[in-house]
Amino acid sequence: MPPSTTRASPAKDRAGPGSAYQTAASAQKDGGRPGKASGRRISLFSLALAASATATLLLAAWCLGGGRGGGHTAPLLPTFRSINGTLHPRAGPVSPAEVAASAAEAAAMFGTAFDAYLTHAFPHDDLKPLSCSGGDSQGGVALTLIDSLSTALLLGDAPRLGAGLAAAASTVGGRRVLDFDVPARVHVFELTIRALGGLLSVHAALTRPGNGALLASLPPGTPPPAVLLAAAVDLGRRLLPAYDTPTGLPLSWVNLRSGPIPEGTRLTCAACAGTAFMEMAALTAATGDGRFAAAARRAAFALAARADPATGLVGNTLSVDTGAWARTDAGVGAGIDSYYEYLLKSYLLTGDEAWLGAWAAAHAALMRWCNAPTLPPGRGGDRSVPPPWRVDVDMGTGALAKPWVSSLAAFFPGLQALAGQTRAAAAGHAAWAATWARFSGLPEAVDALTGTVRHPTMGGYPLRPELAESTYA
């Protein structure tokens, strides 16, 4: 993801039971390649749900039982935590009561935030919690609403899902909320994973065969799912011109009304260029228009082709015109992370072996080159063994590029688990869990060599979902 964004990812949702994810994961062996979903194309529902940008955080909280998978016995903190006023031990197996309490707590938290947004910020993009007002970070397209509909659906919150759909289909100040014909500069990555993914996920879920009970549970007068698909098509067409570049790598920004911005930057990050296929493929599946999937696929493989020939690593930022690298730091943190995620998940979703080959090469390069250097005994808190996480290195030499590791990189153990690399995943997750325990939360960045020193200026904690997701995986 871009360095300045907070990921709900999008991009990191898991499809439900019987999906290609489950089929592939069940066939994996430690250290082996992910299984292929019986060579079958998956349903539009599974494709779009996996592409949803918003559901990860609340789905993880719902399933994790407060941040821990059921049955895990290793304590994160030797204390108790309060869930709705009841104390539960952190150590030991997660009890059914704790899982149920955590699920209820997560649902209540979502309800509070969703209601506050509709009351104080709709139809703006963002809710400002201190001033109880709205702000527009992406053109004023009600991005938080679109991004939250799939969460309401997954939580089974029919009243809020119905209210959200009604709000999305409404007209405010003479303008339709889902009208993307606005003269606004927007980030292609953000609108793809959050708005396009959000619209398609809910549309696919509501129109999935056998989901009559879900539709029947919605309040009377709820707009039909076709409203969401029409908006997704409109948005997809407005984002497509970003891919019309000499390399096929998309522009970072476009104007929703006029298209590419003549004076805009011609640089993009690896995550921005390589994180679109699942959403665009879902749009192709829904419409039959192959341009969407083709553009996103071309961009991802144009990026993969520009890996350094000596190390196999891709850098952080490059030109959409020439493909030349502007930033050569490589790793799994900000600006690169979801590129790796989409390589693997695009294979699992489509069965296309080209995606698997790109993922295997990229993962091998990361595991060979992006290791924290070993410190001599007596330095770094007497840690002579470095944390088993991926650090940022120079893509051409493998030399350490940054002394800090981003909390965004905490997603990577979950991705490795999905790929069947369970030993590496467990080791990486243990390092991140220890960092969480040390600081009672993940600092935005910690020192790459020991994980014991917080970044001196990046002091915030923006409630990122990456460690929760890896814990679930």
Side-chain angles (χ1 to χ4, degrees), residues 19 51 63 66 71 81 90 95 109 129 132 140 169 185 230 261 278 300 315 357 368 415 424 438 444 460 464 468:
S19 69
C63 297
R81 67 183 296 258
R90 289 188 180 274
S95 69
M109 291 168 63
C132 288
R185 174 180 178 266
I261 304 170
M278 291 192 288
R368 178 179 179 185
L415 187 64
R438 178 182 298 276
E444 190 68 342
R464 296 195 185 277

Side-chain angles (χ1 to χ4, degrees), residues 44 47-49 51 200 229 276-287 293:
L44 173 59
L47 181 62
L49 182 59
L200 290 170
L229 179 58
F277 180 76
M278 291 192 288
E279 292 84 358
M280 296 291 260
L283 189 54
T284 285
T287 63

Side-chain angles (χ1 to χ4, degrees), residues 118-216:
L118 285 183
T119 300
H120 300 292
F122 174 78
H124 294 284
D125 290 328
D126 315 305
L127 169 66
K128 298 179 179 180
L130 297 183
S131 63
C132 288
S133 61
D136 292 325
S137 59
Q138 296 295 327
V141 296
L143 187 57
T144 290
L145 174 65
I146 297 171
D147 200 12
S148 301
L149 292 175
S150 58
T151 306
L153 187 150
L154 288 170
L155 294 177
D157 194 336
R160 288 189 173 90
L161 176 58
L165 290 171
S170 68
T171 298
V172 178
R175 173 178 166 266
R176 291 186 300 110
V177 172
L178 290 182
D179 181 5
F180 292 102
D181 183 22
V182 293
R185 174 180 178 266
V186 299
H187 200 270
V188 175
F189 171 89
E190 290 291 337
L191 267 290
T192 297
I193 64 171
R194 297 181 62 188
L196 189 60
L199 291 166
L200 290 170
S201 295
V202 179
H203 174 266
L206 292 176
T207 56
R208 187 184 188 189
N211 270 9
L214 176 61
L215 287 170

